[in-house]
Amino acid sequence: MLRFYLFISLLCLSRSDAEETCPSFTRLSFHSAVVGTGLNVRLMLYTRKNLTCAQTINSSAFGNLNVTKKTTFIVHGFRPTGSPPVWMDDLVKGLLSVEDMNVVVVDWNRGATTLIYTHASSKTRKVAMVLKEFIDQMLAEGASLDDIYMIGVSLGAHISGFVGEMYDGWLGRITGLDPAGPLFNGKPHQDRLDPSDAQFVDVIHSDTDGYYADNWKDHLRGKDPPMTKAFFDTAEESPFCMYHYFVDIITWNKNVRRGDITIKLRDKAGNTTESKINHEPTTFQKYHQVSLLARFNQDLDKVAAISLMFSTGSLIGPRYKLRILRMKLRSLAHPERPQLCRYDLVLMENVETVFQPILCPELQL
Ligand SMILES: *[C@@H]1O[C@H](CO)[C@@H](O)[C@H](O)[C@H]1NC(C)=O
Ligand SMILES: *[C@@H]1O[C@H](CO)[C@@H](O)[C@H](O)[C@H]1NC(C)=O
Ligand SMILES: *[C@@H]1O[C@H](CO)[C@@H](O)[C@H](O)[C@H]1NC(C)=O
Ligand SMILES: *[C@@H]1O[C@H](CO)[C@@H](O)[C@H](O)[C@H]1NC(C)=O
């Protein structure tokens, strides 16, 4: 038994040794969240010199930080449980795989960890002041504001905004990821992240991945004001891509029909994909064309078969038919692909109808 204890304590000793040489993000317990934590801001530097082991830096000890390179600060947000953010490692490695830069993880877990959101949010200005002091020192060593990029998550987005504001918007770029809403929405611009806080500010509301928002820079320069909003549809699973098609349908029922269309595509190899869209029930009127936006998780290059199903959603009452004069499938992402057509088709309600499409004639009436 004694030997066992010794073994355990030796293990603990060697573990804390390793932690000293290789600092890691502050890990707190749920107990800390209950009692609350005082603010302590730690800066941890990652470079390509060592992707796995950080250096703790401060304004008088820069470690491997090279001021002639771009520097990206990652600022986390509210931590109601005290645990380190699970996404941090991936983000650090992702950034360093794209560019040889300094990545500074801003660990303010002591401060952010509390069950009470207002306690965490009341510390954001102080975190911003610490960062300002550090960046001032970087500038004194020859860094340029153009090369400073801040990525802020939740409350971290507003911290980044506060830092940017102290430099009158001359930081290179700020990316706000799911900026915190409570206590910030509707506040004056100096009290939250806003477009004047950096030369380029992009805000992403969940869960985009690998999207290069800075590709918009040139396009936006020509706009007044130079701002835009973009919305992305994503699939639920990796790689999250969605492929959009228009399905144009002309019907010739005497009476108006209202209902949903479910669309499946199959290619020669047998791959199938189904449109995920939850259409508002569509209204089909005689000889009127409706264009449905269909979204698929897979992009099938050569569609061999299409299946359509019409449903009014009602479980009782008569079953309706939808008489289709012409349906046309066209890819939005690949408009150069041949459009596929089918003429004269009757869909029985809730019955899947499978058919082979033909190429639409070049000249449409
Ligand atoms: C990174 O640092 C750790 C701790 O100092 C060391 O064990 C490891 O070998 C280093 N890795 C590289 C690639 O230098
Ligand atoms: C800065 O970091 C160095 C090296 O880790 C440390 O010796 C020094 O005490 C720190 N200075 C401040 C002001 O925290
Ligand atoms: C700092 O970065 C510059 C540009 O990438 C490089 O030329 C220089 O050698 C680096 N300095 C050190 C000490 O690594
Ligand atoms: C279709 O199926 C083939 C064979 O099963 C597979 O290799 C291919 O990746 C699939 N294509 C798509 C777009 O899913």
Side-chain angles (χ1 to χ4, degrees):
M1 208 50 182
L2 189 64
R3 205 179 286 170
F4 184 63
Y5 273 122
L6 259 172
F7 179 69
I8 296 265
S9 54
L10 268 177
L11 206 72
C12 291
L13 266 179
S14 55
R15 265 199 50 196
S16 59
D17 260 7
E19 268 161 21
E20 257 170 43
T21 54
C22 223
S24 54
F25 193 93
T26 305
R27 181 181 294 275
L28 299 173
S29 63
F30 187 67
H31 176 254
S32 309
V34 175
V35 298
T37 50
L39 183 63
N40 178 28
V41 181
R42 293 170 68 224
L43 303 179
M44 295 195 299
L45 172 71
Y46 289 88
T47 63
R48 281 192 175 173
K49 286 204 175 120
N50 196 328
L51 296 177
T52 51
C53 190
Q55 285 180 316
T56 308
I57 55 172
N58 57 43
S59 41
S60 43
F62 271 18
N64 287 333
L65 189 131
N66 182 337
V67 289
T68 61
K69 291 194 172 128
K70 176 168 162 178
T71 300
T72 301
F73 292 86
I74 306 174
V75 194
H76 65 85
F78 179 44
R79 307 297 309 161
T81 69
S83 64
V86 290
W87 42 265
M88 194 60 95
D89 270 2
D90 285 347
L91 185 53
V92 169
K93 292 204 174 87
L95 286 165
L96 287 171
S97 74
V98 174
E99 196 177 329
D100 183 7
M101 57 169 124
N102 313 299
V103 175
V104 179
V105 172
V106 180
D107 171 4
W108 65 290
N109 209 18
R110 288 186 190 281
T113 292
T114 162
L115 288 179
I116 304 164
Y117 175 78
T118 50
H119 287 183
S121 74
S122 71
K123 304 199 175 90
T124 49
R125 293 267 179 197
K126 287 178 203 138
V127 180
M129 286 305 300
V130 173
L131 294 177
K132 166 82 164 49
E133 196 186 307
F134 182 76
I135 293 170
D136 279 347
Q137 196 54 42
M138 283 179 68
L139 298 177
E141 304 274 334
S144 155
L145 282 178
D146 294 346
D147 293 331
I148 292 180
Y149 175 24
M150 304 195 71
I151 301 177
V153 181
S154 154
L155 287 177
H158 299 295
I159 293 174
S160 307
F162 296 156
V163 176
E165 202 200 356
M166 290 190 271
Y167 291 105
D168 293 326
W170 287 106
L171 288 186
R173 178 177 175 188
I174 295 176
T175 297
L177 300 176
D178 288 325
L183 303 180
F184 293 95
N185 275 350
K187 284 287 164 74
H189 70 85
Q190 63 275 20
D191 292 336
R192 57 180 167 83
L193 173 64
D194 81 292
S196 70
D197 288 335
Q199 297 179 45
F200 184 67
V201 177
D202 53 313
V203 167
I204 299 177
H205 293 280
S206 270
D207 307 306
T208 57
D209 195 6
Y211 176 67
Y212 291 78
D214 56 345
N215 288 351
W216 285 76
K217 261 186 206 167
D218 290 336
H219 168 73
L220 291 176
R221 278 200 186 104
K223 288 187 56 170
D224 182 32
M227 282 171 67
T228 192
K229 282 185 186 173
F231 297 89
F232 301 91
D233 263 336
T234 60
E236 301 91 81
E237 282 170 27
S238 175
F240 307 105
C241 300
M242 275 278 194
Y243 303 94
H244 293 80
Y245 286 79
F246 268 122
V247 185
D248 303 325
I249 295 179
I250 304 174
T251 53
W252 57 287
N253 288 71
K254 212 158 59 186
N255 298 319
V256 169
R257 293 272 180 272
R258 277 172 65 75
D260 300 317
I261 299 271
T262 305
I263 304 153
K264 284 188 206 164
L265 307 180
R266 181 160 54 78
D267 70 2
K268 286 211 175 71
N271 302 308
T272 59
T273 181
E274 183 173 330
S275 173
K276 293 285 181 195
I277 198 162
N278 300 318
H279 294 294
E280 284 286 295
T282 308
T283 304
F284 298 95
Q285 275 175 294
K286 196 175 185 180
Y287 302 140
H288 279 249
Q289 171 169 301
V290 293
S291 295
L292 306 174
L293 183 64
R295 308 179 295 173
F296 298 96
N297 287 351
Q298 279 189 67
D299 193 24
L300 303 183
D301 182 11
K302 294 205 166 58
V303 176
I306 299 177
S307 119
L308 291 180
M309 192 167 77
F310 172 67
S311 166
T312 62
S314 74
L315 297 174
I316 48 168
R319 287 187 154 207
Y320 291 101
K321 288 178 187 163
L322 190 68
R323 298 176 191 278
I324 295 180
L325 201 58
R326 189 203 70 197
M327 87 108 234
K328 181 166 53 169
L329 181 77
R330 49 194 171 101
S331 169
L332 262 173
H334 298 281
E336 74 286 357
R337 279 190 198 159
Q339 303 184 344
L340 299 176
C341 277
R342 170 73 201 227
Y343 300 85
D344 287 328
L345 189 65
V346 178
L347 302 184
M348 300 290 296
E349 184 169 0
N350 297 332
V351 177
E352 203 179 319
T353 304
V354 185
F355 55 86
Q356 285 184 0
I358 58 169
L359 295 182
C360 301
E362 289 283 318
L363 251 182
Q364 291 291 339
L365 296 176

